[in-house]
């Protein structure tokens, strides 16, 4: 059964390239043997750098399930997830992820995410996009309010 869903993700990724809608990436979210969401890379179509296939599929699946987590679901993606998508996947908490192409395959055609992993290891002030902390004490008020909230929905 896994091959059937992966074949669909691969087919979608090829169609996405041929249609000119975006990069060669697609993803499905499956629950109980049924596809509940499918998406392709639409970064250039929507002028949205976060419109990766996995993120788009997660958004659609969560909307379909009316829940912010994907427990009981499996994600099939045509390529090993980038750091952003991997983060989204961990926050969504699916049961399992299957991928086809590797991050090395993606790097060979110009989708190299290794610099992001390298940037994460650098001190903030040495990153390509300098990052600096500002107004922490004021911002902690929101965290204190959250921490004190008794009826919060943990996620």
């Amino acid at each position: 059964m896994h091959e059937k869903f992966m074949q669909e993700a691969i087919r979608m990724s090829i169609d996405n390239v041929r249609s000119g809608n975006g990069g060669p990436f697609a993803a499905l979210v499956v629950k109980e043997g049924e596809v509940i969401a499918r998406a392709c890379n639409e970064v250039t179509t929507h002028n949205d750098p976060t419109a990766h296939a996995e993120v788009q599929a997660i958004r659609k699946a969560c909307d379909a399930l009316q829940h912010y987590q994907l427990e009981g679901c499996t994600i099939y993606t045509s390529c090993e997830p980038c750091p952003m998508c991997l983060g989204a996947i961990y926050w969504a908490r699916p049961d399992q992820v299957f991928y086809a192409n590797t991050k090395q395959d993606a790097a060979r055609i110009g989708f190299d995410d290794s610099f992001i992993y390298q940037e994460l290891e650098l001190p903030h002030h040495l990153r390509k996009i300098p990052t600096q902390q500002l107004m922490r004490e004021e911002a902690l008020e929101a965290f204190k309010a959250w921490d004190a909230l008794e009826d919060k929905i943990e996620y």
Side-chain angles (χ1 to χ4, degrees), residues 5-69:
F5 295 123
M6 184 58 75
Q7 185 58 49
E8 175 64 5
I10 292 168
R11 183 198 62 74
M12 289 171 54
S13 70
I14 294 167
D15 288 352
N16 203 49
V17 172
R18 291 181 177 154
S19 71
N21 288 330
F25 307 99
L28 306 174
V29 179
V30 174
K31 185 168 187 167
E32 298 172 357
E34 297 293 323
V35 176
I36 60 168
R38 64 185 72 225
C40 291
N41 176 285
E42 297 178 306
V43 169
T44 56
T45 306
H46 294 302
N47 295 315
D48 178 355
T50 69
H52 289 202
E54 297 91 336
V55 171
Q56 298 286 76
I58 288 168
R59 289 173 179 158
K60 290 178 180 180
C62 288
D63 188 50
L65 295 172
Q66 291 295 290
H67 201 272
Y68 53 87
Q69 292 182 341

Side-chain angles (χ1 to χ4, degrees), residues 112-131:
D112 189 357
D113 300 321
S114 63
F115 78 96
I116 296 173
Y117 291 107
Q118 294 165 4
E119 287 283 301
L120 289 171
E121 296 300 319
L122 293 174
H124 292 113
H125 70 282
L126 294 179
R127 293 179 181 172
K128 287 186 188 227
I129 300 175
T131 306

Side-chain angles (χ1 to χ4, degrees), residues 91-155:
W91 282 116
R93 295 184 177 95
D95 290 358
Q96 195 167 17
V97 177
F98 289 93
Y99 66 91
N101 291 314
T102 67
K103 60 185 175 185
Q104 292 83 5
D105 295 329
R108 280 192 282 280
I109 63 165
F111 295 95
D112 189 357
D113 300 321
S114 63
F115 78 96
I116 296 173
Y117 291 107
Q118 294 165 4
E119 287 283 301
L120 289 171
E121 296 300 319
L122 293 174
H124 292 113
H125 70 282
L126 294 179
R127 293 179 181 172
K128 287 186 188 227
I129 300 175
T131 306
Q132 184 176 342
Q133 188 174 29
L134 183 64
M135 299 181 69
R136 177 177 180 261
E137 291 302 317
E138 292 83 350
L140 281 173
E141 288 303 313
F143 282 17
K144 290 174 186 173
W146 175 261
D147 195 39
L149 194 63
E150 292 185 20
D151 62 343
K152 63 185 164 233
I153 298 172
E154 300 277 349
Y155 64 95

